Amino acid sequence: MAKAPVLTPRATDFPRWYQDLINKAELADNGPVRGTMVIRPYGYGLWERMQQELDARIKEAGAANAYFPLFIPQSYLTREAEHVEGFAPELAIVTHGGGKELDEPVVVRPTSETIVNEYFSTWVQSYRDLPLLINQWANVVRWEMRPRVFLRTTEFLWQEGHTAHATYEDARDYAAHIHRNVYADFMVNVLGIDVVLGRKTAGERFAGAINTLTLEGMMGDGKALQMGTSHELGQNFARAFHTEYLSKDGTRELVWQTSWGSSTRMVGGLIMAHGDDGGLRVPPRLAPVQAVVLAIKDDAAVLAKVRETGERLRAAGIRVQLDERTDTPFGRRAVDWELKGVPVRIEIGPRDLESGTAMLVRRIPGGKEPVATDALAALLPGILEEDQALLLRQSREFRESRTAEVSTVEEAAEAAGAGWARIPWAALGPGGEAALAGRGVTVRCLVAEDGSVPESDDAPGTVALVARAY
């Protein structure tokens, strides 16, 4: 009788495979309140590495980290009508505290544009105070009706940037800089996901923004996942909160603003973009553990070699973990590391000591081969970079193979059943994305024919990217 697979095969039931992997790889559990999650240590390790890589890029872009309160007076949200209307169905509102009814209800932070502007309006006095570039790492709450761990949760972790500028052009260029040089650079070069950069249609913009830039990744089932967004807010929030500055010529001017964010949704994107029927495949540049050294048997000489090998790899700059749990069957441990997607396994047993080798197992391309133990520290950096490049290449090739060029709404809806469709924006007609209503697909973003981001919705040659989405 055939042995049951550890995970539901992706081709059989992709959503079930996704949930199986999260459970078996020990990434997260469902929280006690519907829509919440408990992120387990290995899953949080992935998020910490994402934080580190993104935070470095955000600081290179000139932004400094700060922190704003979790509770926001409800009156703040009502000052920007489009903003409160857009978030109203998702708000969690506290009406009682300390055993009594509050004088004013407070909203549990869904995003921080309103409270940030309350303080920006006092911090910004002169053109000398601009640009003001702030980022915060925080949790937010948006009441989710259809929760899925990492993808859509009532509470999630993220970073949100908020900036104020003297001119529209400066704000526009900064939003584009974050879009391309922070988010896209991280997602392509660290996550290994070949995202598409575009602009949201007017109907899909962030509530209160004049333009939203997005990054869309293709998942293993052909659906699209929005991996991050960067918004031009214009002067909408500045007007509502009187965020003004004294210009060089002595006049009072409203600032121009941006906001931008990415979240633990990226962990879900990592799983669905790179995972296979064996579990996760973690890009080496991201991996909290790039190599695990396993002792096959409880043997003093073997354990000594495992520790020595770990020290050499660590000295070579590789993130290493030792697995000396010889009271657990070796096969079970190997499967556990396979599920967790650690890029490289190095297996050492008594026979390996005799030959001066170790078994090198590569998770991303697959395969194993004996390698001289003394050569591992020199070989692994190059192997890890090869595997990083392979994941990105596979991501790009998969997206390109599942993206169709079409010319009609019917063709777009059919092609998006198996992947993505690119259709001239003008071909959707005067109603734009409304032409797709009821077909189970949406316009994920607008791109130029050459793949760049169009300057406006109606720029000549603008193409709509149509897909099913998470």
Side-chain angles (χ1 to χ4, degrees):
M1 184 174 179
K3 190 175 181 180
V6 176
L7 303 176
T8 300
R10 292 194 311 161
T12 301
D13 188 337
F14 194 86
R16 184 71 257 170
W17 165 84
Y18 176 79
Q19 194 58 52
D20 282 355
L21 198 161
I22 287 172
N23 292 335
K24 297 291 179 64
E26 300 178 334
L27 300 181
D29 287 326
N30 289 313
V33 175
R34 186 177 184 274
T36 62
M37 62 178 169
V38 175
I39 306 176
R40 300 185 67 175
Y42 190 72
Y44 199 82
L46 294 171
W47 174 241
E48 281 184 311
R49 288 285 304 140
M50 292 179 182
Q51 283 183 301
Q52 291 163 15
E53 292 284 349
L54 271 177
D55 197 60
R57 287 165 173 77
I58 288 167
K59 286 172 178 168
E60 286 176 5
N65 286 335
Y67 186 79
F68 293 84
L70 174 67
F71 296 123
I72 302 172
Q74 189 175 27
S75 60
Y76 284 17
L77 271 76
T78 61
R79 294 191 206 175
E80 214 291 324
E82 186 180 349
H83 189 67
V84 70
E85 182 181 355
F87 277 100
E90 300 175 323
L91 297 181
I93 302 173
V94 179
T95 59
H96 288 72
K100 62 180 182 180
E101 187 172 355
L102 301 178
D103 293 335
E104 178 185 352
V106 296
V107 173
V108 183
R109 173 176 53 217
T111 182
S112 297
E113 280 76 10
T114 57
I115 195 166
V116 164
N117 265 278
E118 178 71 13
Y119 288 87
F120 274 19
S121 66
T122 64
W123 296 350
V124 175
Q125 299 298 321
S126 161
Y127 69 90
R128 297 183 183 88
D129 300 320
L130 299 172
L132 178 56
L133 313 174
I134 296 292
N135 178 65
Q136 81 164 339
W137 292 94
N139 62 337
V140 294
V141 170
R142 298 178 184 177
W143 216 258
E144 182 57 57
M145 296 297 104
R146 296 177 298 163
R148 292 191 68 185
V149 174
F150 290 121
L151 300 178
R152 290 186 178 277
T153 49
T154 295
E155 178 191 10
F156 55 90
L157 307 180
W158 77 344
Q159 61 71 214
E160 52 176 318
H162 301 274
T163 70
H165 305 260
T167 67
Y168 160 74
E169 289 78 12
D170 194 36
R172 176 201 62 196
D173 293 348
Y174 194 80
H177 178 79
I178 293 293
H179 187 223
R180 182 168 296 280
N181 298 311
V182 174
Y183 291 156
D185 179 70
F186 165 72
M187 291 169 193
V188 171
N189 294 315
V190 179
L191 291 188
I193 299 176
D194 194 50
V195 291
V196 168
L197 283 66
R199 62 185 287 139
K200 286 291 190 184
T201 63
E204 291 290 328
R205 286 177 195 151
F206 177 73
I210 62 172
N211 183 32
T212 290
L213 303 172
T214 184
L215 302 101
E216 304 286 330
M218 180 180 281
M219 302 296 101
D221 59 353
K223 289 184 181 180
L225 183 72
Q226 179 180 291
M227 301 284 288
T229 48
S230 181
H231 314 290
E232 297 174 42
L233 302 180
Q235 295 179 310
N236 291 340
F237 289 91
R239 189 172 294 108
F241 286 83
H242 309 292
T243 311
E244 302 175 334
Y245 71 98
L246 189 66
S247 68
K248 288 182 179 180
D249 60 12
T251 60
R252 300 295 300 176
E253 303 284 349
L254 291 170
V255 299
W256 297 82
Q257 293 183 271
T258 77
S259 68
W260 25 277
S262 59
S263 74
T264 39
R265 171 178 278 206
M266 290 190 295
V267 179
L270 172 73
I271 296 167
M272 294 193 297
H274 295 318
D276 62 19
D277 285 348
L280 278 171
R281 294 191 304 161
V282 181
R285 292 181 188 170
L286 176 75
V289 180
Q290 294 175 311
V292 59
V293 187
L294 290 87
I296 294 176
K297 288 191 175 180
D298 185 10
D299 177 277
V302 167
L303 292 172
K305 193 64 173 179
V306 164
R307 292 162 191 162
E308 176 195 325
T309 302
E311 289 173 5
R312 287 189 178 185
L313 296 180
R314 232 173 251 118
I318 295 165
R319 295 186 288 278
V320 182
Q321 184 165 327
L322 306 185
D323 186 341
E324 304 176 56
R325 301 170 297 158
T326 52
D327 56 343
T328 299
F330 172 75
R332 178 177 172 181
R333 290 186 285 142
V335 170
D336 285 346
W337 291 115
E338 186 97 352
L339 284 164
K340 287 181 165 61
V342 171
V344 169
R345 283 200 321 270
I346 298 160
E347 302 169 353
I348 300 176
R351 292 182 182 177
D352 300 299
L353 294 184
E354 295 174 5
S355 61
T357 63
M359 187 61 70
L360 176 66
V361 184
R362 294 171 66 174
R363 176 67 181 93
I364 293 166
K368 60 173 67 176
E369 62 176 327
V371 174
T373 313
D374 293 344
L376 285 168
L379 285 174
L380 280 194
I383 286 172
L384 293 172
E385 281 302 297
E386 284 178 15
D387 292 353
Q388 179 78 32
L390 175 60
L391 280 179
L392 179 60
R393 185 166 66 251
Q394 289 177 341
S395 172
R396 179 179 300 117
E397 290 173 352
F398 179 70
R399 177 175 58 78
E400 289 175 347
S401 71
R402 298 282 287 269
T403 301
E405 299 286 342
V406 302
S407 58
T408 69
V409 171
E410 290 71 23
E411 290 173 342
E414 182 179 356
W420 293 0
R422 283 167 45 100
I423 181 173
W425 176 233
L428 293 179
E433 60 260 61
L436 296 166
R439 298 176 183 267
V441 298
T442 57
V443 175
R444 302 310 305 154
C445 63
L446 302 176
V447 297
E449 285 180 315
D450 62 2
S452 62
V453 180
E455 293 184 2
S456 65
D457 290 9
D458 56 0
T462 296
V463 173
L465 186 64
V466 177
R468 296 173 300 151
Y470 283 96

